């Protein structure tokens, strides 16, 4: 169980590193070009990035499959961790992480770099969500949610005060021209 959390954390770090290296190696000069217009070097960089993303997708598929198998095995043994593991697998499937990884590979091969890099960042965020579910982070979430709501409440109160002040300034400025016209 902990091994899957470690593997997912490593995979997430690799996804982030891949996105950064692809952004650096490919650059923006390929964006306006069709695949047939790319230089040999540019095509090589795209193919290298696509192969790297494909390898990450393959690793993710193995991890997801292993987590699913372990969840089923633990469910047969009535282990309480089975639910957490099954929830993490279900979340990964709902977020379509594997599909997004494969689409990113296709986008890189077809020089849709902007879409690919944006999707890679989303994949890393989704991997973090699955990792949080696997680590049972939702149990700690209620207090975090309460803290965030209190902070939001304080910001809202400050915005209300600011809005009231602005309304008063508007009202004062609307009354001043009338008072000036009345005096003339």
């Amino acid at each position: 169980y902990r091994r899957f959390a470690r593997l997912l954390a490593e995979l997430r770090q690799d996804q982030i590193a891949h996105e950064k290296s692809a952004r650096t190696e490919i650059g923006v000069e390929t964006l306006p070009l069709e695949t047939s217009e790319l230089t040999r070097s540019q095509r090589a960089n795209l193919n290298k990035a696509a192969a790297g993303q494909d390898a990450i997708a393959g690793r993710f598929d193995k991890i997801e499959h292993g987590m699913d198998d372990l969840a089923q095995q633990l469910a047969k043994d009535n282990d309480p961790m089975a639910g957490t593991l099954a929830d993490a697998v279900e979340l990964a499937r709902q977020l379509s992480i594997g599909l997004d990884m494969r689409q990113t590979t296709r986008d890189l091969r077809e020089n849709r770099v902007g879409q690919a890099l944006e999707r890679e960042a989303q994949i890393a965020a989704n991997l973090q969500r699955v990792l949080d579910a696997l680590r049972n982070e939702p149990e700690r979430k209620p207090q975090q949610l309460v803290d965030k709501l209190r902070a939001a409440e304080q910001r809202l109160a400050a915005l209300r005060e600011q809005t009231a002040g602005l309304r008063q300034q508007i009202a004062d400025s609307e009354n001043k021209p009338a008072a000036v016209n009345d005096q003339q």
Side-chain angles (χ1 to χ4, degrees), residues 145-169:
L145 184 57
V146 167
D147 294 342
K148 285 181 183 179
L149 287 173
R150 283 190 183 130
E153 187 177 45
Q154 291 171 350
R155 285 192 308 270
L156 182 59
L159 287 172
R160 282 183 179 150
E161 287 178 25
Q162 184 180 9
T163 303
L166 291 173
R167 283 185 181 146
Q168 185 61 45
Q169 287 177 358

Short mmCIF file of all heavy atoms in Angstrom, two decimals, residues 145-169:
data_model
loop_
_atom_site.label_atom_id
_atom_site.label_comp_id
_atom_site.label_asym_id
_atom_site.label_seq_id
_atom_site.Cartn_x
_atom_site.Cartn_y
_atom_site.Cartn_z
N LEU A 145 -10.63 22.80 5.51
CA LEU A 145 -11.76 23.49 4.92
C LEU A 145 -12.29 24.57 5.85
O LEU A 145 -12.57 25.69 5.42
CB LEU A 145 -12.87 22.48 4.58
CG LEU A 145 -14.09 23.01 3.86
CD1 LEU A 145 -13.69 23.67 2.55
CD2 LEU A 145 -15.07 21.89 3.59
N VAL A 146 -12.40 24.27 7.13
CA VAL A 146 -12.84 25.25 8.11
C VAL A 146 -11.88 26.45 8.12
O VAL A 146 -12.32 27.60 8.12
CB VAL A 146 -12.94 24.61 9.52
CG1 VAL A 146 -13.10 25.67 10.59
CG2 VAL A 146 -14.10 23.63 9.57
N ASP A 147 -10.58 26.18 8.11
CA ASP A 147 -9.59 27.25 8.10
C ASP A 147 -9.71 28.12 6.84
O ASP A 147 -9.65 29.34 6.90
CB ASP A 147 -8.18 26.69 8.21
CG ASP A 147 -7.91 26.02 9.55
OD1 ASP A 147 -8.67 26.27 10.51
OD2 ASP A 147 -6.94 25.23 9.63
N LYS A 148 -9.90 27.46 5.70
CA LYS A 148 -10.04 28.20 4.45
C LYS A 148 -11.32 29.03 4.45
O LYS A 148 -11.34 30.17 3.97
CB LYS A 148 -10.05 27.24 3.26
CG LYS A 148 -8.69 26.69 2.92
CD LYS A 148 -8.76 25.78 1.73
CE LYS A 148 -7.40 25.16 1.43
NZ LYS A 148 -7.45 24.26 0.27
N LEU A 149 -12.40 28.47 5.00
CA LEU A 149 -13.66 29.21 5.06
C LEU A 149 -13.54 30.43 5.98
O LEU A 149 -14.07 31.50 5.67
CB LEU A 149 -14.80 28.30 5.53
CG LEU A 149 -15.29 27.28 4.50
CD1 LEU A 149 -16.30 26.34 5.13
CD2 LEU A 149 -15.89 27.98 3.30
N ARG A 150 -12.84 30.29 7.09
CA ARG A 150 -12.64 31.43 7.99
C ARG A 150 -11.82 32.52 7.30
O ARG A 150 -12.13 33.71 7.42
CB ARG A 150 -11.94 30.97 9.27
CG ARG A 150 -12.88 30.27 10.22
CD ARG A 150 -12.26 30.04 11.58
NE ARG A 150 -13.21 29.32 12.41
CZ ARG A 150 -12.93 28.23 13.10
NH1 ARG A 150 -11.71 27.75 13.11
NH2 ARG A 150 -13.86 27.63 13.82
N ALA A 151 -10.78 32.11 6.60
CA ALA A 151 -9.96 33.09 5.88
C ALA A 151 -10.78 33.77 4.79
O ALA A 151 -10.69 35.00 4.60
CB ALA A 151 -8.73 32.41 5.28
N ALA A 152 -11.60 33.00 4.09
CA ALA A 152 -12.45 33.57 3.04
C ALA A 152 -13.47 34.53 3.65
O ALA A 152 -13.78 35.58 3.07
CB ALA A 152 -13.15 32.46 2.27
N GLU A 153 -13.99 34.19 4.82
CA GLU A 153 -14.95 35.04 5.51
C GLU A 153 -14.30 36.38 5.87
O GLU A 153 -14.91 37.45 5.72
CB GLU A 153 -15.46 34.32 6.76
CG GLU A 153 -16.58 35.02 7.48
CD GLU A 153 -17.08 34.20 8.66
OE1 GLU A 153 -16.22 33.67 9.42
OE2 GLU A 153 -18.30 34.12 8.82
N GLN A 154 -13.06 36.33 6.33
CA GLN A 154 -12.35 37.56 6.68
C GLN A 154 -12.09 38.41 5.43
O GLN A 154 -12.23 39.63 5.46
CB GLN A 154 -11.04 37.23 7.39
CG GLN A 154 -11.23 36.66 8.77
CD GLN A 154 -9.94 36.12 9.39
OE1 GLN A 154 -8.93 36.01 8.72
NE2 GLN A 154 -10.00 35.77 10.68
N ARG A 155 -11.71 37.75 4.33
CA ARG A 155 -11.50 38.50 3.08
C ARG A 155 -12.79 39.12 2.59
O ARG A 155 -12.81 40.26 2.11
CB ARG A 155 -10.90 37.58 2.00
CG ARG A 155 -9.44 37.26 2.22
CD ARG A 155 -8.79 36.60 1.01
NE ARG A 155 -9.50 35.45 0.52
CZ ARG A 155 -9.30 34.19 0.91
NH1 ARG A 155 -8.39 33.94 1.84
NH2 ARG A 155 -9.98 33.19 0.39
N LEU A 156 -13.90 38.39 2.74
CA LEU A 156 -15.20 38.89 2.32
C LEU A 156 -15.60 40.11 3.16
O LEU A 156 -16.10 41.10 2.63
CB LEU A 156 -16.26 37.79 2.44
CG LEU A 156 -17.68 38.15 2.00
CD1 LEU A 156 -17.69 38.58 0.54
CD2 LEU A 156 -18.60 36.96 2.21
N ALA A 157 -15.36 40.04 4.45
CA ALA A 157 -15.67 41.18 5.32
C ALA A 157 -14.85 42.40 4.91
O ALA A 157 -15.37 43.53 4.86
CB ALA A 157 -15.41 40.81 6.78
N ALA A 158 -13.58 42.18 4.61
CA ALA A 158 -12.73 43.29 4.18
C ALA A 158 -13.22 43.87 2.85
O ALA A 158 -13.25 45.10 2.67
CB ALA A 158 -11.28 42.82 4.05
N LEU A 159 -13.64 43.00 1.95
CA LEU A 159 -14.17 43.48 0.66
C LEU A 159 -15.47 44.25 0.85
O LEU A 159 -15.73 45.23 0.16
CB LEU A 159 -14.37 42.30 -0.30
CG LEU A 159 -13.10 41.69 -0.87
CD1 LEU A 159 -13.42 40.42 -1.64
CD2 LEU A 159 -12.40 42.69 -1.77
N ARG A 160 -16.30 43.81 1.78
CA ARG A 160 -17.56 44.52 2.06
C ARG A 160 -17.26 45.93 2.58
O ARG A 160 -17.92 46.89 2.19
CB ARG A 160 -18.40 43.74 3.07
CG ARG A 160 -19.11 42.57 2.46
CD ARG A 160 -19.99 41.87 3.47
NE ARG A 160 -20.69 40.77 2.83
CZ ARG A 160 -21.05 39.68 3.45
NH1 ARG A 160 -20.82 39.52 4.75
NH2 ARG A 160 -21.68 38.72 2.80
N GLU A 161 -16.29 46.03 3.49
CA GLU A 161 -15.91 47.34 4.02
C GLU A 161 -15.39 48.23 2.90
O GLU A 161 -15.73 49.41 2.82
CB GLU A 161 -14.85 47.19 5.11
CG GLU A 161 -15.38 46.64 6.41
CD GLU A 161 -14.27 46.47 7.44
OE1 GLU A 161 -13.25 47.18 7.37
OE2 GLU A 161 -14.46 45.62 8.33
N GLN A 162 -14.57 47.65 2.03
CA GLN A 162 -14.00 48.40 0.92
C GLN A 162 -15.11 48.86 -0.02
O GLN A 162 -15.12 50.00 -0.47
CB GLN A 162 -12.98 47.53 0.17
CG GLN A 162 -12.25 48.24 -0.93
CD GLN A 162 -11.26 47.32 -1.63
OE1 GLN A 162 -11.23 46.12 -1.42
NE2 GLN A 162 -10.45 47.91 -2.49
N THR A 163 -16.07 47.97 -0.30
CA THR A 163 -17.19 48.31 -1.17
C THR A 163 -18.04 49.42 -0.56
O THR A 163 -18.46 50.35 -1.26
CB THR A 163 -18.05 47.06 -1.45
OG1 THR A 163 -17.22 46.04 -2.01
CG2 THR A 163 -19.19 47.36 -2.40
N ALA A 164 -18.30 49.32 0.74
CA ALA A 164 -19.08 50.36 1.42
C ALA A 164 -18.36 51.71 1.32
O ALA A 164 -19.00 52.74 1.06
CB ALA A 164 -19.31 49.98 2.88
N GLY A 165 -17.06 51.71 1.49
CA GLY A 165 -16.29 52.94 1.36
C GLY A 165 -16.36 53.52 -0.04
O GLY A 165 -16.51 54.73 -0.23
N LEU A 166 -16.26 52.65 -1.05
CA LEU A 166 -16.36 53.11 -2.43
C LEU A 166 -17.75 53.66 -2.74
O LEU A 166 -17.89 54.67 -3.44
CB LEU A 166 -16.00 51.96 -3.39
CG LEU A 166 -14.54 51.53 -3.39
CD1 LEU A 166 -14.36 50.28 -4.24
CD2 LEU A 166 -13.65 52.66 -3.91
N ARG A 167 -18.76 53.00 -2.23
CA ARG A 167 -20.14 53.49 -2.43
C ARG A 167 -20.30 54.88 -1.81
O ARG A 167 -20.96 55.75 -2.37
CB ARG A 167 -21.14 52.51 -1.84
CG ARG A 167 -21.35 51.30 -2.69
CD ARG A 167 -22.45 50.42 -2.13
NE ARG A 167 -22.59 49.24 -2.97
CZ ARG A 167 -22.92 48.05 -2.52
NH1 ARG A 167 -23.18 47.87 -1.23
NH2 ARG A 167 -23.04 47.03 -3.33
N GLN A 168 -19.73 55.06 -0.63
CA GLN A 168 -19.81 56.36 0.04
C GLN A 168 -19.10 57.42 -0.78
O GLN A 168 -19.60 58.52 -0.94
CB GLN A 168 -19.22 56.27 1.45
CG GLN A 168 -19.37 57.54 2.25
CD GLN A 168 -20.83 57.91 2.47
OE1 GLN A 168 -21.64 57.07 2.81
NE2 GLN A 168 -21.16 59.17 2.25
N GLN A 169 -17.93 57.07 -1.34
CA GLN A 169 -17.20 58.02 -2.18
C GLN A 169 -18.01 58.39 -3.41
O GLN A 169 -18.04 59.55 -3.83
CB GLN A 169 -15.85 57.44 -2.59
CG GLN A 169 -14.83 57.37 -1.49
CD GLN A 169 -13.53 56.71 -1.95
OE1 GLN A 169 -13.40 56.27 -3.09
NE2 GLN A 169 -12.55 56.66 -1.05
#
